[in-house]
Amino acid sequence: MLPRDEFFLAALQATDLDGGGNTREKEMLLTTLRFYFGPAQGWGAVHNVSDAASLAQLDLTLRQPGERYEVLEQQTSLSSGYFSQNHSAAGQVALYVARKDNNGLSPSYFIYEASRNLTLYVGPDLLHNLPGHLVANALVLDGQYCPVESFTLRF
């Protein structure tokens, strides 16, 4: 389940985000997440796009070499193999950020929020072959880091 509003991010500053990217990028990501979980969700602009077949395919993709889980483990303080273990609940909000360049397109940002076991994507809509469109997507994960729900905001 997604957080109902952005207030769980209230105490975070850009310098609190673990991982890649410069301070300006981290500020942009934190602002994007606050907008995503706050006004955009409140206005009904964040859509539940959960589909069992798509979620199963996403689970396979997230675990591929060079994809989200590996990139997060390489660019943040998350340990190697973190996403192959069972999730243990974290007490406080922690955002881990990784960046992936896209050959002349806007970069992709992978974010993991440990306390709510969410992974987020902010970047070009490569999944739907619409690289000129930006999206923010949140995946709600189960205890084995498999996506169980998917929510998308298109910019």
Side-chain angles (χ1 to χ4, degrees):
M1 175 177 215
L2 281 185
R4 296 189 319 178
D5 55 45
E6 76 279 15
F7 295 114
F8 75 103
L9 300 169
L12 289 179
Q13 301 297 314
T15 54
D16 297 326
L17 278 62
D18 179 307
N22 61 43
T23 302
R24 287 185 60 202
E25 288 173 309
K26 289 179 179 182
E27 287 171 357
M28 179 267 310
L29 290 171
L30 198 50
T31 300
T32 300
L33 295 180
R34 287 180 173 137
F35 176 75
Y36 176 94
F37 288 109
Q41 192 168 243
W43 298 331
V46 175
H47 299 282
N48 186 334
V49 294
S50 302
D51 169 77
S54 294
L55 291 171
Q57 182 58 48
L58 270 171
D59 184 43
L60 294 173
T61 301
L62 295 172
R63 298 171 191 280
Q64 294 296 314
E67 287 298 329
R68 189 175 316 190
Y69 289 164
E70 183 177 88
V71 173
L72 279 162
E73 291 172 354
Q74 290 174 347
Q75 294 184 25
T76 69
S77 65
L78 294 169
S79 62
S80 180
Y82 179 90
F83 293 103
S84 62
Q85 303 168 24
N86 288 333
H87 178 257
S88 60
Q92 62 187 40
V93 174
L95 291 176
Y96 300 87
V97 177
R99 177 188 166 147
K100 185 175 181 180
D101 291 324
N102 291 313
N103 300 324
L105 300 173
S106 299
S108 295
Y109 296 92
F110 304 130
I111 304 161
Y112 176 64
E113 202 292 298
S115 71
R116 286 164 178 77
N117 203 23
L118 302 171
T119 185
L120 299 108
Y121 170 84
V122 176
D125 192 351
L126 302 175
L127 182 65
H128 299 102
N129 201 26
L130 298 169
H133 297 258
L134 297 177
V135 298
N137 175 266
L139 297 174
V140 178
L141 305 172
D142 68 12
Q144 288 75 46
Y145 304 102
C146 299
V148 294
E149 291 182 294
S150 179
F151 299 88
T152 297
L153 169 66
R154 288 185 168 71
F155 294 94

